Amino acid sequence: DVKVTQSSRYLVKRTGEKVFLECVQDMDHENMFWYRQDPGLGLRLIYFSYDVKMKEKGDIPEGYSVSREKKERFSLILESASTNQTSMYLCASRLFSGANVLTFGAGSRLTVL
Amino acid sequence: QKEVEQDPGPLSVPEGAIVSLNCTYSNSAFQYFMWYRQYSRKGPELLMYTYSSGNKEDGRFTAQVDKSSKYISLFIRDSQPSDSATYLCAMSITTGNQFYFGTGTSLTVIP
């Protein structure tokens, strides 16, 4: 089974701090995704990467950036954290573009004070 | 109007009951339909995956797609306390990078 690992499960940061969320998948998937999940809003796509160094904005990219230097690793960066970025962040991967099944990590719960 | 609508519940049933979870959608281009189960403080895990219309069964779980009504369902037979979780429906078109998720239905199965 594909494993998607999010190294930080719970983080507490202060407003204005730079935050890195790391995600690693171990089955050579081409595509990786970052979502945030909020009550009543469901999952919203932040960024998507279809290959190394390639990225596309999702529905809510403002305040976020991403990095994919290696195929297995996709990082989400909050340049200057704000309280409205308090959320559950979910990383996901899929085998290739057009494949219709996502595999999710366990999530990173970020609280910004 | 949201692309995918899902009743958030919460839904509470006794152990052994049959559970019906539903989603409606507006985009007739959706071809792939998925159900994810998410336990508290965990990421979603794929439960069922269906292409186009019809039924698919896996153990106690049955996924049903009615494209004419733009309606999908997940049935859980002989529900167990371990089925207590949030269930998310998700959909996508044939090609593309977008997945459309429901907001999730919270289910509690009472022993």
Side-chain angles (χ1 to χ4, degrees):
Chain A
D1 281 351
V2 173
K3 192 168 182 183
V4 179
T5 303
Q6 295 182 236
S7 52
S8 301
R9 293 296 316 278
Y10 301 95
L11 303 95
V12 179
K13 298 292 181 181
R14 297 210 173 272
T15 300
E17 281 193 79
K18 192 168 186 175
V19 182
F20 292 88
L21 299 179
E22 301 286 336
C23 175
V24 177
Q25 51 92 5
D26 66 359
M27 282 295 288
D28 207 33
H29 279 191
E30 287 185 3
N31 301 167
M32 297 187 75
F33 301 74
W34 276 106
Y35 289 89
R36 63 177 283 178
Q37 184 178 31
D38 300 288
L41 297 177
L43 275 73
R44 293 180 290 168
L45 181 64
I46 305 171
Y47 267 98
F48 159 68
S49 169
Y50 49 93
D51 204 346
V52 176
K53 297 188 188 294
M54 309 299 269
K55 62 186 179 186
E56 281 186 15
K57 293 180 180 179
D59 299 319
I60 51 163
E62 297 79 18
Y64 303 95
S65 61
V66 290
S67 172
R68 192 162 180 209
E69 297 296 319
K70 293 185 178 181
K71 192 173 186 177
E72 67 271 18
R73 188 180 297 270
F74 192 33
S75 302
L76 181 69
I77 302 150
L78 288 67
E79 294 289 341
S80 178
S82 62
T83 54
N84 62 13
Q85 293 178 309
T86 292
S87 186
M88 169 73 111
Y89 290 88
L90 291 166
C91 176
S93 72
R94 69 176 175 183
L95 186 58
F96 53 81
S97 296
N100 284 283
V101 174
L102 290 175
T103 303
F104 285 90
S108 298
R109 178 71 196 174
L110 172 66
T111 300
V112 183
L113 302 175
Chain B
Q1 183 187 6
K2 287 184 181 178
E3 298 264 13
V4 180
E5 299 276 1
Q6 184 176 10
D7 186 338
L11 192 59
S12 184
V13 301
E15 184 175 353
I18 296 174
V19 176
S20 173
L21 304 168
N22 310 295
C23 289
T24 59
Y25 62 95
S26 57
N27 190 343
S28 58
F30 288 145
Q31 293 277 8
Y32 294 89
F33 304 91
M34 292 142 277
W35 286 95
Y36 285 85
R37 178 175 61 197
Q38 185 175 21
Y39 291 114
S40 180
R41 298 189 179 87
K42 297 286 178 68
E45 56 176 332
L46 182 69
L47 199 57
M48 299 285 284
Y49 165 69
T50 311
Y51 171 71
S52 196
S53 281
N55 292 359
K56 186 174 183 179
E57 191 172 319
D58 184 2
R60 297 184 295 110
F61 298 89
T62 300
Q64 207 169 72
V65 175
D66 182 349
K67 292 191 73 181
S68 61
S69 301
K70 297 191 181 72
Y71 190 87
I72 70 169
S73 300
L74 177 71
F75 297 96
I76 307 174
R77 289 184 300 281
D78 187 25
S79 55
Q80 302 295 310
S82 58
D83 296 328
S84 298
T86 296
Y87 290 81
L88 303 166
C89 63
M91 307 175 191
S92 66
I93 61 176
T94 304
T95 58
N97 301 318
Q98 272 284 32
F99 291 79
Y100 298 85
F101 290 87
T103 52
T105 299
S106 175
L107 171 67
T108 301
V109 180
I110 303 166

